[in-house]
Amino acid sequence: IVFNDYRTVDHGGTMKRALITGVTGQDGSYLTELLLSKGYEVHGIKRRSSLFNTERIDHVYNDPHEGGRFFLHYGDLTDSLNVTEIIQKVKPDEIYNLAAQSHVAVSFVQPEYTANVDAMGTLRILESVRLLGLQDKVKIYQASTSELFGKAVEFPQSENTPFYPRSPYGVAKLFAYWITINYREAYGMFACNGILFNHESSRRGETFVTRKITRGVTRILFGLDKKIYLGNLNAKRDFGHAQDYVKGMYLILQQPRPDDYVLATGITTEIREFIALAFDEVGLTVKFQGEGIKECGIVISYHEDVLLSRLQSVHCAPEHKENILQTARACLNKVVVGIDQRYFRPSEVDILIGDPTKAREKLGWEPQHTVKDIVSDMIISDLEKNYREYVLKTRGFTMSRSCGI
Ligand code: NAP
Ligand code: GDD
């Protein structure tokens, strides 16, 4: 991937140019795919890292010498000069500000950094656009969040529901939400908030609860792990699929007037239920027993036909099949989910459920995936990934354990 490449494609003014912050993240990668498929020239901002960290976007990269329309720039939302320089050189038609310290639990540990990126970072983008005199040319999408509703005061939550954030992340995003509206009102900028409820996918970061669960389930199946340790299983979230949500982001910037929209499914799911669905996908039925930190999830039945069809879909080699089935059978009556106090948050958002009526009516946006589709998509992908690890292990390679938390 070529970095800091300010070449642009000569498109005679007909092709739109987008700048995506947070391009290496879950949403950034799907949005890049979407905009490239619509003929955009896409520029992404990527933080310097000691590793490549481009695996979510490597598949969409084409050498610019061969007509590629995807460019990357080193940048960081904490560095205003760098943000301004990129915007000045790229001169985008649309900016999608997706970059954030996006982990709620981590925001309690790094509140100042979270505020710097999530709150001030948004201001840096808006102010750069204004200082560069681009306020009439550039449309801006701000990645706002259902975490703004926090300790929600009404159900379901819509664009009119008052906010009550419950974490440094939520509070930082509250500043970003209002500064976006302020720049719209003060300078007439086309700046919009998408208030998105949780959206997941096989590209979700491994420390968010859904991915932690699907990854954990598949690792237990291959004998790579024994148990998944989690925090508050009572929390409920309105889960959608990231692929549906990036379509909503795009639609928000194609409207005649700037506005703010909730994107949600209108259905909420308890974490406990998500866990049960994930184990179901591989033929294991889990029942929960006990309370508080003593609660655990136990496998109470096993359906080999389900597991066999899953293994088929990941092209499991015949010589591995019996071993994997044996590991799965051995899970019967075993505790596969435990509670660890360290995953509880100092203040929690108990339940979120969104009302996407405005997005449906004004944008024509409808989520296409159910929670079951999402679980299925994530389980298949994690089965593939962890099967690869299993094969390497059976061939005698030493696998390092991830120390991610
Ligand atoms: P994600 O996977 O965590 O991606 C976050 C992106 O931001 C990554 O590319 C990350 O880069 C980048 N980033 C972090 N700090 C940065 C900095 N200082 N400067 C520049 N880039 C930085 O998050 P996501 O799930 O795609 O979410 C995208 C956005 O939507 C975030 O703003 C998030 O808060 C918001 N949001 C997400 C959801 C959801 O359910 N997914 C719901 C509502 C709102 P690295 O790859 O280098 O870490
Ligand atoms: N991460 C995590 N890890 N969460 C756990 C765990 C665990 O081991 N056990 C229980 N949970 C609970 C959390 O306490 C929370 O109530 C819920 O699962 C979801 O947690 P996350 O997956 O970390 O997501 P989030 O809802 O806090 O935040 C995500 O969604 C927001 C939109 O509402 C992130 O993507 C945010 O960036 C986004 O704004």
Side-chain angles (χ1 to χ4, degrees):
I1 291 190
V2 180
F3 288 103
N4 293 352
D5 187 339
Y6 291 105
R7 273 172 301 175
T8 52
V9 181
D10 179 14
H11 46 71
T14 54
M15 193 186 282
K16 283 193 189 163
R17 191 176 298 144
L19 175 64
I20 303 176
T21 74
V23 74
T24 53
Q26 170 188 255
D27 292 4
S29 67
Y30 284 119
L31 184 64
T32 301
E33 280 173 15
L34 179 74
L35 297 180
L36 287 173
S37 77
K38 291 189 179 295
Y40 277 58
E41 180 183 309
V42 178
H43 292 252
I45 297 183
K46 186 209 169 299
R47 294 197 284 181
R48 191 270 156 182
S49 133
S50 63
L51 297 167
F52 278 131
N53 190 29
T54 51
E55 59 271 34
R56 288 188 180 111
I57 48 174
D58 286 336
H59 65 288
V60 290
Y61 181 73
N62 270 320
D63 193 323
H65 302 102
E66 292 161 16
R69 285 181 278 115
F70 181 38
F71 303 89
L72 282 181
H73 308 269
Y74 277 121
D76 196 303
L77 287 202
T78 59
D79 181 342
S80 48
L81 293 178
N82 152 260
V83 168
T84 307
E85 192 203 18
I86 294 172
I87 295 174
Q88 184 194 26
K89 294 208 164 143
V90 172
K91 291 196 180 52
D93 300 293
E94 296 172 6
I95 298 178
Y96 294 86
N97 181 29
L98 310 185
Q101 190 303 91
S102 67
H103 205 284
V104 173
V106 172
S107 80
F108 287 98
V109 185
Q110 290 192 285
E112 184 183 343
Y113 176 72
T114 303
N116 194 2
V117 180
D118 298 11
M120 297 307 288
T122 306
L123 174 62
R124 288 181 186 109
I125 290 174
L126 291 160
E127 187 60 1
S128 292
V129 168
R130 189 184 76 81
L131 288 174
L132 292 167
L134 296 172
Q135 67 270 25
D136 297 330
K137 170 182 157 53
V138 187
K139 296 180 177 182
I140 301 174
Y141 172 87
Q142 168 57 22
S144 285
T145 164
S146 50
E147 278 290 303
L148 296 175
F149 299 119
K151 192 173 178 182
V153 298
E154 68 178 18
F155 298 90
Q157 295 92 45
S158 73
E159 293 79 3
N160 302 318
T161 304
F163 297 135
Y164 190 154
R166 293 273 281 173
S167 63
Y169 169 82
V171 175
K173 285 281 188 176
L174 185 67
F175 175 89
Y177 170 88
W178 279 115
I179 202 69
T180 299
I181 293 179
N182 181 244
Y183 271 60
R184 180 164 85 212
E185 294 177 351
Y187 306 115
M189 283 168 61
F190 196 111
C192 309
N193 286 288
I195 308 168
L196 272 51
F197 282 64
N198 296 51
H199 43 279
E200 318 295 318
S201 73
S202 53
R203 296 186 198 165
R204 187 59 142 152
E206 288 91 341
T207 61
F208 294 96
V209 76
T210 55
R211 185 73 198 289
K212 190 169 164 184
I213 293 165
T214 58
R215 180 175 180 270
V217 166
T218 55
R219 288 180 66 81
I220 288 171
L221 208 61
F222 293 121
L224 299 168
D225 282 341
K226 291 198 163 31
K227 231 172 164 180
I228 312 170
Y229 289 95
L230 296 161
N232 176 19
L233 305 187
N234 294 322
K236 291 181 171 179
R237 290 291 184 274
D238 181 330
F239 292 118
H241 197 293
Q243 264 177 318
D244 291 336
Y245 285 55
V246 298
K247 288 181 190 153
M249 294 176 190
Y250 164 76
L251 287 171
I252 288 172
L253 290 197
Q254 311 315 310
Q255 300 311 301
R257 273 178 297 283
D259 204 347
D260 309 313
Y261 297 87
V262 159
L263 300 185
T265 68
I267 295 167
T268 196
T269 304
E270 199 180 71
I271 304 305
R272 208 174 273 106
E273 201 182 328
F274 193 98
I275 297 168
L277 285 171
F279 277 103
D280 273 352
E281 279 291 317
V282 296
L284 298 172
T285 309
V286 165
K287 193 179 152 210
F288 290 90
Q289 63 181 51
E291 272 180 34
I293 57 163
K294 297 232 165 82
E295 182 170 359
C296 62
I298 299 180
V299 176
I300 55 160
S301 66
Y302 164 59
H303 309 275
E304 198 149 288
D305 51 329
V306 177
L307 180 54
L308 278 169
S309 81
R310 284 282 166 260
L311 292 180
Q312 214 162 352
S313 63
V314 296
H315 309 293
C316 176
E319 71 265 28
H320 298 138
K321 223 171 247 175
E322 189 45 40
N323 216 345
I324 296 166
L325 294 179
Q326 256 179 35
T327 310
R329 279 180 215 126
C331 287
L332 203 55
N333 301 319
K334 293 263 162 57
V335 172
V336 285
V337 179
I339 304 294
D340 186 329
Q341 190 71 50
R342 75 187 157 131
Y343 297 119
F344 286 82
R345 294 164 186 190
S347 49
E348 175 66 294
V349 170
D350 298 322
I351 169 166
L352 291 173
I353 176 165
D355 173 2
T357 306
K358 180 175 171 185
R360 189 171 53 238
E361 289 176 355
K362 300 221 161 141
L363 306 176
W365 179 83
E366 287 277 4
Q368 303 297 316
H369 295 79
T370 63
V371 172
K372 201 165 169 353
D373 297 334
I374 296 164
V375 176
S376 194
D377 179 27
M378 294 175 75
I379 283 285
I380 297 270
S381 164
D382 276 329
L383 273 176
E384 274 168 13
K385 289 195 175 97
N386 287 304
Y387 178 51
R388 253 176 266 151
E389 189 163 332
Y390 167 84
V391 172
L392 288 173
K393 203 175 162 194
T394 58
R395 296 270 162 86
F397 290 96
T398 316
M399 303 307 299
S400 55
R401 262 184 83 86
S402 164
C403 58
I405 47 171

